[in-house]
Amino acid sequence: MLQHSILETLPEDLHRDALSGLQPLRFEHGKVLFRAGDPCQGLPLVLNGIVKVQMTGLSGNSIVLYRMGADDICTLSIGCLMTGDGFRAEAVVEEDAELFMVPRGLFDRLMDQSADFRLGIMESYGRRLNDLMLLVEEVAFRRMDERLEHWLEVRAEKGAITITHQELAVELGTAREVVSRLLKELERKGRLRLARGKIEFIGSFVE
Amino acid sequence: MLQHSILETLPEDLHRDALSGLQPLRFEHGKVLFRAGDPCQGLPLVLNGIVKVQMTGLSGNSIVLYRMGADDICTLSIGCLMTGDGFRAEAVVEEDAELFMVPRGLFDRLMDQSADFRLGIMESYGRRLNDLMLLVEEVAFRRMDERLEHWLEVRAEKGAITITHQELAVELGTAREVVSRLLKELERKGRLRLARGKIEFIGSFVE
DNA sequence: GAATGTTCAGTGATAAAGTCACACAGAGCG
DNA sequence: CGCTCTGTGTGACTTTATCACTGAACATTC
């Protein structure tokens, strides 16, 4: 389904006009869409798949800031698009994704001519700001065991997931050893089973 | 000086039109502009003074997210303005401030009719997003002693500041005891002098 | 299939930061 | 002066981060 809801709200002529200039780009798992310092090519509209955005601190540690899925807009790019500054973060394709890349000129035109488009952009910005505020709160005040358990609970329905402790550490913005120890603790409590690169949920997680 | 640069870019008729509907609102130090959960009244344009935005976690701890000064735009409000959701944060006047409150209708009209206004809004959003990303990185990976020293260095030129350890803890999103201990350590090293509600800089800070 | 290299996981020691509990000091006030 | 309120100092303990190292699981090569 190669469409994006923010384009569907456009009046017919604008819509046809916009689509004619946009090719869906296909990216595979693991592909780095952009990295810290890259200039901005345009505004990415995610059609399907999942892209995660993470940043690496001066210390070398990384943390996942948020994810984008179908119908999402990479609002982070707008800032760069406007000011010409580079990104502070990097985006990595987590599940094979397709997206439209809206160039600066078209973006300006859509902003100028469609109130719905503007609304969509503003809403997306608001959501992103909100996400980041919640992340700040979580990182600053929540305990790591709670955060880890919460992260696991969200994905527990799948029964098992494929992820290394290092990757999990980046998700939470902590150290690999911390994740290893906490997971081991959960295994001792009989709530999951650990294997190399895999976590299997049992007991309280699945219920 | 009761003007705001984002309004100055408007074409003359729009500018006159906008200003006619806007009264500068005056707020004193300590006044709470809005708190978590409040509905959004409009888009605040800061004319002068300083407003700080902070949030309180479920744990009861707080952290300062960012500050707004002259010519700033409270972009956080746009999200609420659009979706009707309440704020997650609260805004407190730090230095007496005046601001314009742009109501929804006027905001929509300006977005519709002025490319410069749109540009200003987008830039502001971008900056805010960037600030929050940097904050996440700082909270997640930087050591508290470094963060405290950096915070102090920025204000050291004043020679002395009036602040309690508790307030400083909220600035950094940590506990009062941690701040007390780190400050005491700095005092032992001869870099500052502590008094009730006051920090006086000496030695390496002033140089 | 044995040797080798690479990635991933486990763990002890130690340092930094957060939490809890409480003592005490200065400021304001009846 | 004695009382209260707010701000500060500190010990004890828990949680998290960092460092250093070990061994296990998997992949590659001969």
Side-chain angles (χ1 to χ4, degrees), chain B residues 1 19 24 33 35 64 82 107 117 121 146 167 177 195:
Chain B
M1 200 189 48
L19 278 186
L33 285 190
R35 48 186 92 237
V64 172
M82 291 294 171
F107 175 75
F117 185 81
I121 295 294
E146 288 170 7
E167 287 164 342
E177 299 93 313

Side-chain angles (χ1 to χ4, degrees), chain B residues 61 143-145 174-178 181 196:
Chain B
N61 305 31
R143 285 185 26 188
M144 201 45 88
D145 53 354
T174 182
R176 200 261 314 157
E177 299 93 313
V178 175
R181 268 189 264 262
R196 185 189 173 87

Side-chain angles (χ1 to χ4, degrees), chain A:
Chain A
M1 200 188 54
L2 291 183
Q3 58 175 36
H4 192 287
S5 66
I6 199 170
L7 297 181
E8 298 310 307
T9 61
L10 298 175
E12 203 178 337
D13 56 329
L14 253 184
H15 181 237
R16 201 175 36 241
D17 215 40
L19 280 186
S20 76
L22 295 173
Q23 301 283 339
L25 303 173
R26 211 171 299 257
F27 297 103
E28 293 186 358
H29 167 83
K31 165 78 181 176
V32 179
L33 284 190
F34 55 79
R35 48 187 92 238
D38 279 5
C40 187
Q41 306 298 339
L43 176 69
L45 305 181
V46 180
L47 303 173
N48 53 55
I50 296 180
V51 178
K52 75 179 169 187
V53 175
Q54 61 189 48
M55 83 183 294
T56 301
L58 293 179
S59 50
N61 305 29
S62 301
I63 185 170
V64 171
L65 296 174
Y66 57 85
R67 291 185 154 66
M68 294 180 296
D71 243 33
D72 255 327
I73 301 166
C74 183
T75 16
L76 176 55
S77 300
I78 301 182
C80 315
L81 207 58
M82 291 296 174
T83 63
D85 288 355
F87 291 102
R88 280 276 155 68
E90 61 180 15
V92 183
V93 176
E94 197 167 52
E95 292 179 12
D96 293 5
E98 287 176 293
L99 42 86
F100 284 141
M101 190 66 91
V102 180
R104 175 70 193 261
L106 178 57
F107 175 76
D108 285 344
R109 203 141 50 82
L110 293 175
M111 284 295 281
D112 189 59
Q113 292 173 23
S114 166
D116 284 331
F117 185 82
R118 287 196 292 270
L119 188 65
I121 295 293
M122 292 292 134
E123 277 181 357
S124 168
Y125 248 132
R127 263 199 308 281
R128 209 60 76 210
L129 267 182
N130 221 46
D131 287 355
L132 279 180
M133 283 169 51
L134 290 178
L135 182 61
V136 169
E137 199 259 314
E138 193 178 313
V139 171
F141 302 130
R142 296 213 115 73
R143 283 183 32 187
M144 205 40 92
D145 52 355
E146 287 169 8
R147 291 178 56 204
L148 174 60
E149 285 196 39
H150 179 250
W151 196 97
L152 292 174
E153 269 159 17
V154 170
R155 324 200 184 215
E157 47 190 65
K158 295 179 184 171
I161 54 174
T162 301
I163 192 172
T164 67
H165 297 185
Q166 177 56 49
E167 286 164 344
L168 205 30
V170 170
E171 289 292 329
L172 300 171
T174 182
R176 201 259 315 157
E177 301 91 312
V178 174
V179 172
S180 286
R181 268 188 265 261
L182 291 173
L183 283 176
K184 207 69 197 165
E185 183 62 27
L186 287 172
E187 190 182 39
R188 270 191 284 274
K189 287 184 188 162
R191 304 189 54 193
L192 42 76
R193 243 190 305 274
L194 296 174
R196 185 189 172 90
K198 212 173 73 177
I199 300 175
E200 210 178 322
F201 301 101
I202 47 181
S204 54
F205 274 115
V206 238
E207 285 152 26

Side-chain angles (χ1 to χ4, degrees), chain B:
Chain B
M1 200 189 48
L2 292 183
Q3 58 174 36
H4 192 287
S5 65
I6 198 170
L7 298 180
E8 297 310 307
T9 61
L10 297 174
E12 204 178 334
D13 56 330
L14 254 183
H15 182 238
R16 201 174 37 243
D17 215 38
L19 278 186
S20 74
L22 294 173
Q23 301 283 340
L25 303 172
R26 211 169 300 255
F27 297 102
E28 292 186 358
H29 167 83
K31 165 78 181 175
V32 177
L33 285 190
F34 55 79
R35 48 186 92 237
D38 280 5
C40 187
Q41 306 298 340
L43 176 70
L45 305 181
V46 180
L47 303 173
N48 53 55
I50 296 179
V51 179
K52 76 178 167 188
V53 174
Q54 60 189 50
M55 82 181 296
T56 300
L58 294 179
S59 50
N61 305 31
S62 301
I63 184 170
V64 172
L65 295 175
Y66 56 85
R67 293 187 152 69
M68 294 180 294
D71 244 33
D72 256 328
I73 302 167
C74 183
T75 15
L76 177 54
S77 299
I78 300 181
C80 316
L81 206 59
M82 291 294 171
T83 64
D85 289 354
F87 290 101
R88 280 275 156 66
E90 61 180 18
V92 183
V93 176
E94 199 168 53
E95 290 179 14
D96 295 3
E98 287 176 295
L99 41 87
F100 284 141
M101 191 65 91
V102 180
R104 174 71 193 259
L106 179 57
F107 175 75
D108 284 344
R109 204 142 50 82
L110 293 175
M111 284 295 280
D112 189 59
Q113 292 173 23
S114 166
D116 284 331
F117 185 81
R118 288 197 291 271
L119 188 66
I121 295 294
M122 292 291 133
E123 276 182 358
S124 168
Y125 249 132
R127 263 199 307 280
R128 209 61 76 206
L129 221 45
N130 220 44
D131 286 355
L132 279 180
M133 284 170 50
L134 290 178
L135 182 61
V136 169
E137 199 259 315
E138 192 177 313
V139 171
F141 303 129
R142 295 213 114 75
R143 285 185 26 188
M144 201 45 88
D145 53 354
E146 288 170 7
R147 291 178 55 204
L148 174 61
E149 284 195 42
H150 178 249
W151 196 97
L152 292 173
E153 269 160 17
V154 171
R155 335 221 166 203
E157 48 191 63
K158 294 177 183 170
I161 55 174
T162 302
I163 193 171
T164 67
H165 296 185
Q166 177 57 48
E167 287 164 342
L168 205 31
V170 170
E171 289 290 332
L172 301 172
T174 182
R176 200 261 314 157
E177 299 93 313
V178 175
V179 172
S180 286
R181 268 189 264 262
L182 291 174
L183 283 176
K184 207 69 197 168
E185 182 62 25
L186 287 172
E187 190 181 37
R188 269 192 284 274
K189 286 186 189 163
R191 305 190 54 192
L192 42 78
R193 243 188 306 273
L194 297 173
R196 185 189 173 87
K198 212 173 73 177
I199 299 174
E200 208 177 323
F201 301 100
I202 47 182
S204 52
F205 276 115
V206 241
E207 283 152 27

